[in-house]
């Protein structure tokens, strides 16, 4: 075995061991979009156009006061806060379900899945940077089932697993920035300890709705270290309180659906038409952006919710690249 080959294998092994996860691709309004590929996109010329904003990698954000908590940035590494993406998904009708396919999630990193939306001013997300403004409303949440070992993150520890949210049917048309996250609680018994894995994408919503939510929060700001959903011993059999504001609903109904997981057959999983060796987490394509190969694959973990489980036979293999600098296991 050559030294170069050995180095490549060692790099891949290191990535797999230290990996956590991120949204690899999405199915929105019947169209499949490739997520931001942190180990590929920064090294590609020209930079691929995405609907997803840049993230630092597969590592977590742990500082609740950092702007990085907003969309998964890494200020110390040059990815500050929430830099707009060039594309916006859609148009997609209010009331539609959006499926977000994660890289394999480590089983040890149990936790909730939460989704927020923010209206982009002037109908344009390509220049919208929320900074610390209160613009976000919660549209989906799922945590622990009672005091059992069933968590919202369970579904993405399986190849092809995905988490979902439903765009509230009463929502006014417009362009929205969506913030979706999984919070890993394996070390959350003291602060800092909880690990946040946020990701943001841009989406155009259509329909006859007229509701503009007014109970808004900011990131940073929505969570505090002392919140019961932030400092929490996940190894004890106890109820879990999902952090953040109350769930936004239409007319008092749980329009965003924080229900138990629905099991779907692997036959319905989005399948890429021009991907290199990726038969698991469907690598997807957008009509405006070139498709990339799947990003590095982390290990494994848990989930409950209106999230959906989907499985396929293999896991995407990543090319060798730098390991995320932010956060550790």
């Amino acid at each position: 075995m050559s030294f170069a080959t050995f180095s490549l294998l060692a790099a891949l092994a290191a990535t797999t061991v230290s990996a956590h996860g991120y949204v690899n691709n999405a199915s929105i309004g019947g169209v499949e979009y490739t997520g931001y590929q942190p180990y590929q996109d920064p090294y590609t010329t020209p930079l691929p156009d995405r609907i997803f904003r840049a993230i630092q990698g597969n590592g977590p954000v742990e500082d609740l006061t950092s702007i990085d908590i907003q969309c998964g940035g890494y200020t110390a590494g040059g990815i500050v806060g929430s830099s707009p993406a060039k594309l916006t998904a859609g148009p997609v009708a209010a009331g539609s379900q959006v499926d977000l396919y994660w890289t394999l999630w480590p089983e040890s990193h149990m936790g909730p899945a939460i989704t927020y939306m923010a209206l982009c001013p002037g109908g344009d997300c390509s220049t919208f940077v929320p900074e610390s403004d209160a613009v976000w409303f919660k549209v989906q949440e799922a945590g622990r089932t009672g005091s059992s070992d069933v968590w919202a993150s369970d579904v993405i520890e399986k190849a092809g697993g995905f988490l979902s949210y439903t765009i509230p049917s009463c929502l006014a048309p417009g362009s929205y920035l969506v913030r979706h996250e999984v919070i890993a609680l394996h070390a959350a018994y003291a602060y800092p300890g909880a690990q946040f894995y946020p990701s943001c994408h841009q989406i155009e919503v259509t329909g006859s709705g007229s509701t503009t939510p007014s109970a808004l929060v900011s990131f940073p700001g929505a969570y505090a270290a002392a919140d019961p959903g932030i400092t929490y011993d996940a190894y004890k059999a106890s109820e879990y309180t999902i952090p953040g504001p109350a769930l936004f609903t239409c007319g008092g109904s749980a329009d965003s659906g924080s229900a138990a997981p629905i099991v779907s057959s692997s036959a319905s999983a989005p399948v890429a038409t021009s991907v290199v060796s990726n038969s698991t987490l469907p690598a997807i394509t957008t009509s405006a952006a070139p498709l990339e190969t799947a990003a590095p694959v982390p290990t494994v973990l848990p989930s409950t919710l209106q999230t959906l489980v989907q499985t396929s036979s293999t896991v995407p293999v990543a090319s060798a690249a730098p390991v995320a600098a932010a956060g550790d296991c």
Side-chain angles (χ1 to χ4, degrees):
M1 179 186 295
S2 69
F3 177 76
T5 302
F6 176 80
S7 298
L8 173 60
L9 293 175
L12 287 172
T15 300
T16 301
V17 169
S18 62
H20 302 85
Y22 55 89
V23 177
N24 190 54
N25 46 48
S27 178
I28 303 173
V31 179
E32 287 126 23
Y33 298 88
T34 299
Y36 180 80
Q37 303 296 307
Y39 302 106
Q40 211 167 281
D41 288 0
Y43 314 103
T44 302
T45 303
L47 187 69
D49 293 340
R50 304 292 190 202
I51 66 165
F52 284 84
R53 298 192 170 193
I55 57 172
Q56 48 81 19
N58 58 21
V61 177
E62 297 179 284
D63 182 359
L64 288 175
T65 67
S66 169
I67 191 64
D68 296 339
I69 198 73
Q70 191 170 101
C71 290
Y74 176 41
T75 299
I79 300 176
V80 182
S82 171
S83 179
K86 288 190 176 181
L87 304 181
T88 296
V92 60
S96 298
Q97 176 177 295
V98 174
D99 299 333
L100 301 170
Y101 292 79
W102 284 68
T103 55
L104 273 182
W105 186 256
E107 184 179 0
S108 60
H109 287 38
M110 73 288 281
I114 310 171
T115 307
Y116 296 83
M117 296 180 72
L119 180 64
C120 296
D124 183 12
C125 291
S126 67
T127 58
F128 179 43
V129 180
E131 297 182 336
S132 57
D133 294 342
V135 296
W136 304 94
F137 55 97
K138 185 190 289 183
V139 298
Q140 175 273 323
E141 62 178 15
R144 188 176 195 170
T145 301
S147 58
S148 72
D149 290 330
V150 179
W151 287 89
S153 54
D154 286 351
V155 293
I156 54 174
E157 67 178 71
K158 301 174 179 66
F162 59 93
L163 293 165
S164 299
Y165 70 91
T166 298
I167 302 167
S169 59
C170 61
L171 204 60
S175 291
Y176 290 83
L177 179 59
V178 180
R179 177 187 183 274
H180 170 73
E181 71 180 338
V182 171
I183 305 175
L185 300 172
H186 57 291
Y189 45 83
Y191 179 84
Q195 296 182 350
F196 302 85
Y197 296 82
S199 171
C200 292
H201 59 276
Q202 300 166 183
I203 186 170
E204 181 186 349
V205 176
T206 61
S208 58
S210 58
T211 301
T212 301
S214 57
L216 306 174
V217 297
S218 64
F219 284 98
Y223 302 154
D227 289 350
I230 301 299
T231 300
Y232 175 80
D233 188 344
Y235 300 99
K236 290 183 178 179
S238 61
E239 297 280 338
Y240 176 72
T241 302
I242 296 173
L247 189 69
F248 170 75
T249 59
C250 294
S253 63
D255 195 84
S256 57
S258 54
I262 299 170
V263 178
S264 219
S265 72
S266 60
S268 62
V271 177
T273 56
S274 57
V275 191
V276 179
S277 286
N278 182 15
S279 58
T280 311
L281 289 178
I284 37 198
T285 183
T286 149
S287 57
L291 231 178
E292 305 296 339
T293 55
V297 179
T299 41
V300 198
L301 194 178
S303 171
T304 3
L305 86 123
Q306 142 216 327
T307 61
L308 303 94
V309 179
Q310 195 167 9
T311 58
S312 59
S313 57
T314 55
V315 183
V317 178
S319 56
V323 181
D328 52 25
C329 296

